[in-house]
Amino acid sequence: ALPVIDRAIALDPRSVRVHDYLRWQCSAQLNLGHYDQAIAACEKGLALDDDWFTYLLLLGAYAEKGDMAKAVATKIDLLKRKPDVSIARLKSGLPFFANPLYQQQREAHLYAGLRKIGIPEQ
C-alpha cells in the first residue's frame, strides 16, 4: 500500500484527498511498527484536516514509541472530537479488515498503544 499512497501524493500533492492518503500512510506505517514514519504522516495529515481518526492513529504511535507526554496531549485532542471512543467500537466498525495479519498488526501496534494510554476496552 505504501508505494501506491506515495505515488498518489506525488501525482497530485494539492489534491483534496491528500489528508486521506496521509492517514492511510500513517495507518500502514503504524501497523508495521514504524512509529516515527507513522507520526510524521499523521502530523502532516492533521495539518490539512482535523480528523478524529488521524488523532487516534497518532495517539497509538506516540504511546507505542513511548512518548507519553505527546500521547497524553493527543488523547485530550482525540477525546474532544470523539469522547465515546473505545477499542471495542473500533474493532466493530472495521469488519471489512478481516485479514488475520492485519488484525495481528492492529493488536500489536494500535490497540496496544491505546491500552497503554488508557483508552477503554468497552
Side-chain angles (χ1 to χ4, degrees), residues 1-2 5-6 9 16-31 37-58 94 97 102 106 110:
L2 289 168
I5 294 167
D6 291 341
I9 293 169
V16 296
R17 299 288 318 262
V18 168
H19 70 274
D20 290 323
Y21 303 151
L22 290 166
R23 183 178 55 247
W24 300 337
Q25 186 179 61
C26 174
S27 181
Q29 293 288 8
L30 178 58
N31 279 3
Q37 293 92 330
I39 290 165
C42 278
E43 288 175 344
K44 285 180 193 173
L46 285 172
L48 300 173
D49 184 41
D50 196 31
D51 174 67
W52 75 268
F53 199 76
T54 305
Y55 280 100
L56 179 94
L57 296 168
L58 183 59
L94 299 173
F97 290 113
Y102 177 86
R106 226 31 173 188
L110 175 60

Side-chain angles (χ1 to χ4, degrees), residues 5-122:
I5 294 167
D6 291 341
R7 180 91 170 121
I9 293 169
L11 286 172
D12 191 0
R14 293 187 191 101
S15 168
V16 296
R17 299 288 318 262
V18 168
H19 70 274
D20 290 323
Y21 303 151
L22 290 166
R23 183 178 55 247
W24 300 337
Q25 186 179 61
C26 174
S27 181
Q29 293 288 8
L30 178 58
N31 279 3
L32 294 170
H34 302 161
Y35 305 124
D36 289 328
Q37 293 92 330
I39 290 165
C42 278
E43 288 175 344
K44 285 180 193 173
L46 285 172
L48 300 173
D49 184 41
D50 196 31
D51 174 67
W52 75 268
F53 199 76
T54 305
Y55 280 100
L56 179 94
L57 296 168
L58 183 59
L59 175 57
Y62 279 143
E64 282 299 283
K65 185 178 176 185
D67 192 338
M68 300 316 269
K70 287 185 179 177
V72 168
T74 303
K75 180 181 176 184
I76 292 166
D77 289 334
L78 169 65
L79 292 176
K80 286 178 190 173
R81 289 154 182 84
K82 192 77 169 167
D84 62 342
V85 69
S86 73
I87 293 170
R89 282 194 181 112
L90 292 169
K91 288 180 178 181
S92 70
L94 299 173
F96 50 91
F97 290 113
N99 179 293
L101 178 58
Y102 177 86
Q103 293 300 329
Q104 287 174 330
Q105 291 172 324
R106 226 31 173 188
E107 278 294 331
H109 301 290
L110 175 60
Y111 302 141
L114 297 178
R115 287 181 184 106
K116 283 180 187 174
I117 198 65
I119 296 297
E121 208 60 46
Q122 296 296 323

